[in-house]
């Protein structure tokens, strides 16, 4: 860790005077191939999520790939929630689209930054020599130009994972979180602030405790999404939850491999969610869950598949620039010290009940006003 910090300090002092050298044709072809493969998998949340898992199964030493897969699943669930049972009743169609654009842009940006790094690492293994000098040609931060060679030398999985967490959240900061468009349409809206109040921003990792039982959940809740330190701290906590318990990691991974990501929350809790809408249009929604169990005779909560909720969208080219302009980023490299059990099922169940009552109250008040 200390060696990486020293290398980052050295790189930080010299990065402004360095330029990328012209590439030989063989490396130009490699860069072009990496970009083509990245674009192929960066179509939507489902294709990205699968690509992360496929890469992790090939290279389990790159632990961020599995963290990215599981967080990407949550991103897909958040996207389809906008067209699901609750938020579709609380948000206008314009607001739904604004929220989706915000989520999709962040999803897309992270993948187009991190996946080329994965492919370059994979090619380095194939050629049996590091090719991380090509990272500048893929517009990767100088922060990762240091992190990858250090990993190649010492194979410290945790240090690389922490570096990736810092890199991806910092990469999003100006491109999404501080971007005026998303500040005005999403981050400063009443509904986004309401998410914090309702503790709606859960990131959950499902896993079976025993055959045929309802999947258990672990994870964390993120408040103040606009805070970079909090997002990095959350990423480190989620990493610790995944990789601090080998038995639980195996169960979560087995679930992920056996359960293709569709974007519907039915993927992990079919006892309460369905990707087919069971309620009639205009029907008054009556709260029907208690401790994440449907009351007898109740209809499932609607949670659509991504392919039916949202069309594929075209993204503008990523904004240029290196986020690594401050020494403070190096301080985030310290791992989480405390043990985190990640129990979140109780909070998540409460959130579902809060949403049910919010939708019910809004509909009743609306009918009275009429």
């Amino acid at each position: 860790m200390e060696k990486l910090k020293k290398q980052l300090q050295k790189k930080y002092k010299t990065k402004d005077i360095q330029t990328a050298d012209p590439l030989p044709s063989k490396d130009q072809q490699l860069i072009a191939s990496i970009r083509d493969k990245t674009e192929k998998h960066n179509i939507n949340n489902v294709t990205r999520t699968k690509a992360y898992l496929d890469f992790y199964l090939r290279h389990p030493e790159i632990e961020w790939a599995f963290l990215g897969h599981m967080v990407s699943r949550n991103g897909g669930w958040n996207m389809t929630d906008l067209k699901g049972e609750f938020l579709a009743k609380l948000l206008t169609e314009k607001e739904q689209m604004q929220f989706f654009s915000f989520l999709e842009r962040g999803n897309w940006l992270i993948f187009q930054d991190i996946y080329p790094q994965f492919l370059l690492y994979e090619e380095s293994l194939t050629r049996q020599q590091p090719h991380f000098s090509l990272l500048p040609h893929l517009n990767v931060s100088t922060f990762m130009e240091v992190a990858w060679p250090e990993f190649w030398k010492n194979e410290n999985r945790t240090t690389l994972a922490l570096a990736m967490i810092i890199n991806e959240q910092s990469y999003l900061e100006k491109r999404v979180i501080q971007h005026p468009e998303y500040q005005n349409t999403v981050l400063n809206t009443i509904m986004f602030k309401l998410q914090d109040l309702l503790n709606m921003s859960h990131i959950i990792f499902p896993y079976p405790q025993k055959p045929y039982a309802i999947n258990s959940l672990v994870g964390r809740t993120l408040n103040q999404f606009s805070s970079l330190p909090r997002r990095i701290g959350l990423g480190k906590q989620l990493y610790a939850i995944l990789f601090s318990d080998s038995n639980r990691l195996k169960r979560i991974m087995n679930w992920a491999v056996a359960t293709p990501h569709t974007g519907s929350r039915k993927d992990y809790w079919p006892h309460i969610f369905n990707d087919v809408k069971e309620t009639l249009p205009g029907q008054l929604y009556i709260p029907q869950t208690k401790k994440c169990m449907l009351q007898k005779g109740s209809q499932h909560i609607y949670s659509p598949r991504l392919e039916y909720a949202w069309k594929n969208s075209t993204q503008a080219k990523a904004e240029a620039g290196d986020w690594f302009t401050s020494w403070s980023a190096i301080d985030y490299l310290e791992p989480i010290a405390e043990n985190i059990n990640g129990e979140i099922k109780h909070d998540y169940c409460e959130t579902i009940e809060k949403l049910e009552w919010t939708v019910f109250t809004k509909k009743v008040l609306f009918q009275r006003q009429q």
Side-chain angles (χ1 to χ4, degrees):
M1 191 73 74
E2 289 304 316
K3 187 177 180 181
L4 176 58
K5 288 183 178 182
K6 289 179 181 179
Q7 290 294 326
L8 282 167
Q9 290 171 352
K10 181 179 178 180
K11 187 74 172 180
Y12 180 81
K13 292 177 181 178
T14 60
K15 73 187 187 76
D16 290 334
I17 61 174
Q18 294 176 343
T19 57
D21 296 326
L23 291 178
S25 59
K26 183 177 181 181
D27 287 340
Q28 289 180 19
Q29 292 171 5
L30 173 59
I31 293 296
S33 173
I34 286 174
R35 286 176 172 157
D36 286 345
K37 289 178 182 178
T38 301
E39 184 177 352
K40 175 185 175 183
H41 294 297
N42 205 3
I43 297 173
N44 56 48
N45 172 266
V46 170
T47 58
R48 292 175 208 121
T49 306
K50 183 178 186 301
Y52 285 138
L53 180 61
D54 289 344
F55 182 85
Y56 178 72
L57 294 176
R58 297 197 302 271
H59 303 288
E61 70 274 17
I62 310 300
E63 295 177 334
W64 189 96
F66 190 57
L67 173 64
H69 168 76
M70 294 305 298
V71 172
S72 186
R73 280 185 180 255
N74 280 265
W77 296 329
N78 290 334
M79 290 175 184
T80 59
D81 284 346
L82 296 168
K83 296 291 186 181
E85 195 75 61
F86 305 130
L87 295 187
K89 297 180 174 72
L90 297 175
L91 300 173
T92 65
E93 288 191 10
K94 182 179 179 180
E95 289 170 332
Q96 292 168 33
M97 176 56 75
Q98 290 170 337
F99 270 70
F100 172 74
S101 297
F102 168 78
L103 293 169
E104 175 68 7
R105 182 63 176 173
N107 231 235
W108 183 90
L109 280 170
I110 287 178
F111 189 86
Q112 64 84 43
D113 180 66
I114 198 71
Y115 199 69
Q117 298 177 48
F118 288 170
L119 296 181
L120 190 59
Y121 168 73
E122 195 166 49
E123 184 65 20
S124 296
L125 291 175
T126 300
R127 298 185 184 184
Q128 297 185 328
Q129 60 180 350
H131 280 68
F132 303 121
S133 61
L134 297 178
L135 287 170
H137 298 273
L138 292 165
N139 302 317
V140 174
S141 172
T142 53
F143 188 83
M144 295 308 297
E145 286 183 51
V146 175
W148 275 110
E150 281 300 308
F151 173 73
W152 187 267
K153 293 175 187 175
N154 59 41
E155 299 182 353
N156 190 314
R157 300 181 178 195
T158 298
T159 301
L160 181 67
L162 293 176
M164 288 182 172
I165 290 167
I166 296 165
N167 178 65
E168 295 315 317
Q169 290 306 319
S170 300
Y171 185 80
L172 288 183
E173 184 66 8
K174 288 186 177 179
R175 293 171 174 85
V176 176
I177 307 303
Q178 295 182 16
H179 195 288
E181 177 184 349
Y182 301 115
Q183 283 281 328
N184 294 330
T185 61
V186 178
L187 292 166
N188 289 332
T189 64
I190 294 175
M191 271 305 302
F192 198 85
K193 292 174 181 176
L194 184 62
Q195 275 196 311
D196 275 354
L197 294 174
L198 290 176
N199 285 333
M200 287 167 56
S201 303
H202 301 305
I203 297 183
I204 57 176
F205 302 152
Y207 68 99
Q209 283 191 312
K210 50 188 175 182
Y212 313 114
I214 295 172
N215 287 325
S216 295
L217 304 177
V218 288
R220 299 295 282 179
T221 301
L222 172 63
N223 293 321
Q224 298 182 347
F225 186 83
S226 57
S227 167
L228 175 60
R230 283 184 176 269
R231 294 198 314 275
I232 291 175
L234 175 73
K236 292 162 72 172
Q237 290 171 346
L238 293 172
Y239 171 74
I241 290 170
L242 275 182
F243 290 96
S244 62
D245 183 332
S246 59
N247 182 52
R248 187 169 62 195
L249 170 63
K250 183 177 180 180
R251 291 180 179 182
I252 294 173
M253 188 177 71
N254 287 343
W255 175 85
V257 171
T259 312
H261 175 60
T262 71
S264 172
R265 293 187 182 273
K266 179 183 178 182
D267 290 350
Y268 61 88
W269 270 1
H271 73 283
I272 194 170
F273 295 104
N274 195 0
D275 54 8
V276 176
K277 191 169 180 61
E278 298 178 7
T279 56
L280 298 174
Q283 178 182 341
L284 178 64
Y285 184 87
I286 305 296
Q288 53 197 16
T289 67
K290 191 67 175 177
K291 297 181 180 179
C292 282
M293 295 297 293
L294 287 177
Q295 297 181 30
K296 187 175 181 180
S298 296
Q299 297 157 318
H300 288 77
I301 297 171
Y302 179 52
S303 178
R305 296 164 66 102
L306 184 76
E307 62 183 309
Y308 300 130
W310 297 104
K311 295 180 180 178
N312 296 337
S313 60
T314 302
Q315 294 293 317
K317 186 178 179 180
E319 295 86 346
D322 188 349
W323 64 265
F324 186 45
T325 58
S326 171
W327 290 82
S328 61
I330 299 174
D331 296 332
Y332 292 126
L333 279 167
E334 294 300 325
I336 295 293
E338 73 272 19
N339 292 324
I340 302 172
N341 66 23
E343 175 55 43
I344 199 172
K345 182 178 177 180
H346 175 75
D347 290 345
Y348 179 59
C349 293
E350 279 194 345
T351 295
I352 292 177
E353 292 177 28
K354 287 178 184 177
L355 280 168
E356 286 188 305
W357 282 102
T358 301
V359 169
F360 174 73
T361 303
K362 179 185 177 183
K363 187 70 174 179
V364 169
L365 290 176
F366 178 75
Q367 288 178 338
R368 285 179 180 174
Q369 290 171 356
Q370 285 184 318

